């Protein structure tokens, strides 16, 4: 099922993200976790793609398994940074062969080595190049792209970032998923600006439940997200008590989602990080709200 079709629906929905294992030995446990999340019957599930392509085989294997065994629509992520055209074309063919209809087209992060390297010969410099390749593949994928309510760290300013976002949409993105954020006002402000720029595709806010104190630093480093005082106070108070921190983190994410639904957002994506218990807790908290 194409996500662009699902997004036409008026109901309030949750989707969950999982990530593939980094090693062969972790495969069975990760597969089990993704299946437990699939059993919650989310609107769709996305499967990330390891930076540098190390886990590309598992991305497809997991996406295919979820789709075929549980009937949950899947979105397979794909990155292109520093890849050759042959490699990307073979990955696109593999996605097609796996029967996956939805692809999240990403550039991928620049490692410090990649940042220093000569990029002039790269076949794909930005996600928009991958979106064009996917469009030209003739596979009729529903393509998603990433967007950044707090600006991508490499962008000089939001105006420039939104201009490049518009290029992705014009190239064929049917929807955009946001980077995590912890202050909904940043999202509302961003939505206002991108709608003004003429971007009309569905924007799916991405919510990360922070369930342990160690995650906080990693999340900020990864996303550069602003931590509201309300959130900092919660980590200060409960960070040293794992069970309390988990409960508080789930409550905070739930609260963010309720506010998004109350303000007209229909589809929220949860960065559930292979944690079925966290995904289930958020879904249960919203049981009477989700239709
Ligand atoms: P781009 O859209 O190419 O943007 C990157 C930067 O380049 C931005 O500053 C943008 O403004 C600028 N830019 C874009 N086009 C142009 C242009 N034509 N000329 C000049 N500048 C331009 N990473 C993974 O490795 N695997 C994943 O599965 C994964 N999933 C993600 C899912 C979501 C929802 C998000 C938000 C991020 C995800 N990432 C993933 C991280 C992502 O790869 C990084 O954030 C990466 O740094 C940028 O990827 P992008 O697709 O947004 O790049």
């Amino acid at each position: 099922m194409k996500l662009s079709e699902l997004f036409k629906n008026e109901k309030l929905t949750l989707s969950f993200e999982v990530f593939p294992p980094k090693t062969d030995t972790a495969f069975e446990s990760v597969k089990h976790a993704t299946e437990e999340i699939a059993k919650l019957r989310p609107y769709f599930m996305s499967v990330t793609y390891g930076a540098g392509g190390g886990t590309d085989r598992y991305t497809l294997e997991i996406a295919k398994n979820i789709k075929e065994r549980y009937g949950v629509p899947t979105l397979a992520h794909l990155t292109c940074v520093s890849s050759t055209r042959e490699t990307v074309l073979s990955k696109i063919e593999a996605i097609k062969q796996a029967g996956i209809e939805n692809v999240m087209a990403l550039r991928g992060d620049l490692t410090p080595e990649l940042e220093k390297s000569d990029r002039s010969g790269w076949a794909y410099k930005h996600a928009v190049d991958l979106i064009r390749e996917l469009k030209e593949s003739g596979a009729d994928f529903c393509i998603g792209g990433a967007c950044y309510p707090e600006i991508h760290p490499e962008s000089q300013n939001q105006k420039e970032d939104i201009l490049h976002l518009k290029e992705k949409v014009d190239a064929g993105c049917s929807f955009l998923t946001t980077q995590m954020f912890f202050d909904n006002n940043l999202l509302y402000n961003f939505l206002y600006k991108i709608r003004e720029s003429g971007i009309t595709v569905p924007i799916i806010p991405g919510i990360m439940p922070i369930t342990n104190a160690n995650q906080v630093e990693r999340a900020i480093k990864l996303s550069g997200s602003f931590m509201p005082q309300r959130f900092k106070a919660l980590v200060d108070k409960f960070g040293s008590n794992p069970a309390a921190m988990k409960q508080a983190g789930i409550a905070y994410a739930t609260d963010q989602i309720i506010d998004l639904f109350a303000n007209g957002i229909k589809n929220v994506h949860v960065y559930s990080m292979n944690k079925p218990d966290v995904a289930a807790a958020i879904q249960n908290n919203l049981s009477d709200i989700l239709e």
Side-chain angles (χ1 to χ4, degrees), residues 13 30 56 73 109 161 200 221 239:
T13 72
V30 168
D56 60 324
D109 275 323
D161 212 27
T200 57
K221 200 168 159 223

Side-chain angles (χ1 to χ4, degrees), residues 181-249:
F181 57 90
F182 300 94
D183 179 346
N184 286 2
N185 286 330
L186 293 166
L187 189 270
Y188 300 137
N189 195 278
F190 175 68
L191 280 180
Y192 175 75
K193 288 182 181 157
I194 63 167
R195 294 307 185 212
E196 252 202 332
S197 79
I199 295 175
T200 57
V201 297
I203 309 294
I204 317 302
I207 296 296
M208 167 78 92
I210 300 284
T211 52
N212 68 67
N214 299 335
Q215 241 182 307
V216 178
E217 210 175 307
R218 235 179 317 135
I220 299 176
K221 200 168 159 223
L222 194 79
S223 64
S225 302
F226 165 70
M227 291 283 165
Q229 193 50 45
R230 200 163 74 86
F231 188 80
K232 282 189 201 148
L234 179 156
V235 179
D236 283 348
K237 180 78 181 168
F238 304 116
S240 57
N241 177 341
M245 183 62 222
K246 185 172 168 185
Q247 195 168 46

Side-chain angles (χ1 to χ4, degrees), residues 60 89-101 103 136-141:
L60 273 193
L89 289 179
S90 76
K91 308 256 187 249
I92 294 175
E93 184 56 29
I95 297 174
K96 214 188 317 183
Q97 292 304 326
I100 308 285
E101 293 168 283
V103 182
E136 280 169 23
S137 72
D140 195 24
F141 292 118

